[in-house]
Amino acid sequence: MKKHLVTALFAVVSGFMLQACSPAGSLISHQRDADFYNQFVNSSADWQQVENKIDELKVMQTGSEYPMRYVFFDNGKFYYQVDKLGTGEGVWSTQKGALIATAQRTIFAMELAISAASDKGNETLVRFYDRHGLNSINIKLRDPQVIKAQGKVPTELRKFTRSEKNI
């Protein structure tokens, strides 16, 4: 009996250690093919003007619980605005059925995954680790061109709160 308990405990601890060594795997909620993520991507022709044109571009954004915006480009780069953290840029690719984005900050490397929230539908999640552990937050696409094609006026992006923390 004790041998089985020790073996089971060893398997659980080993599983946690392996997961800690490869956090990217735990970031993916539901896998989809690359075409699912293409809907979030802007032309690289807009890369240089992203800060000035952000209202006109496809933006993946979260709500006010953890305010973030991500703008992805077909050249594999992305721009971000995260309240209380700041702005920056990084690189992205589709891997293992998710959009994986990384950026180097002053004191840490940002890694996040955008993946489907379920096997069907367009609902998406952004998942990442911060000082509190794993976060999983709903994130939505704001595509002004699609909104205009529906005869509607796109709502303004929520005001971004800049940070001077430089972390």
Side-chain angles (χ1 to χ4, degrees):
M1 177 79 168
K2 283 186 179 183
K3 184 177 179 182
H4 293 295
L5 182 60
V6 169
T7 303
L9 184 58
F10 178 75
V12 168
V13 170
S14 297
F16 282 129
M17 291 180 72
L18 286 173
Q19 185 175 6
C21 294
S22 61
S26 64
L27 294 177
I28 299 169
S29 180
H30 291 275
Q31 297 180 0
R32 294 290 182 86
D33 61 23
D35 288 340
F36 178 79
Y37 302 103
N38 288 339
Q39 66 183 315
F40 311 146
V41 179
N42 295 281
S43 168
S44 58
D46 294 319
W47 170 248
Q48 295 297 325
Q49 303 87 18
V50 65
E51 285 191 72
N52 298 327
K53 293 181 77 171
I54 195 165
D55 283 331
E56 303 167 30
L57 299 172
K58 297 176 186 177
V59 176
M60 293 298 292
Q61 63 181 358
T62 62
S64 59
E65 74 279 359
Y66 206 128
M68 299 180 279
R69 293 186 189 136
Y70 299 98
V71 185
F72 298 97
F73 294 91
D74 61 12
N75 60 1
K77 295 181 181 181
F78 78 99
Y79 169 79
Y80 63 87
Q81 295 177 335
V82 179
D83 281 17
K84 300 181 184 174
L85 180 60
T87 62
E89 58 187 61
V91 296
W92 71 273
S93 63
T94 52
Q95 301 171 25
K96 299 180 183 175
L99 188 153
I100 306 295
T102 58
Q104 189 61 47
R105 298 288 301 173
T106 303
I107 63 171
F108 69 94
M110 176 191 296
E111 181 178 31
L112 57 101
I114 294 178
S115 58
S118 64
D119 290 331
K120 296 183 183 202
N122 287 324
E123 190 175 335
T124 50
L125 298 172
V126 59
R127 299 182 83 179
F128 57 94
Y129 285 94
D130 68 6
R131 67 181 185 266
H132 303 293
L134 177 64
N135 286 286
S136 185
I137 300 171
N138 288 329
I139 189 166
K140 296 185 187 226
L141 174 63
R142 178 188 179 273
D143 185 344
Q145 301 309 317
V146 169
I147 295 168
K148 289 176 185 176
Q150 296 170 346
K152 300 176 184 173
V153 176
T155 58
E156 283 189 34
L157 287 171
R158 193 183 63 72
K159 184 170 173 30
F160 168 65
T161 305
R162 291 204 178 272
S163 173
E164 302 304 322
K165 288 183 179 180
N166 197 29
I167 56 175

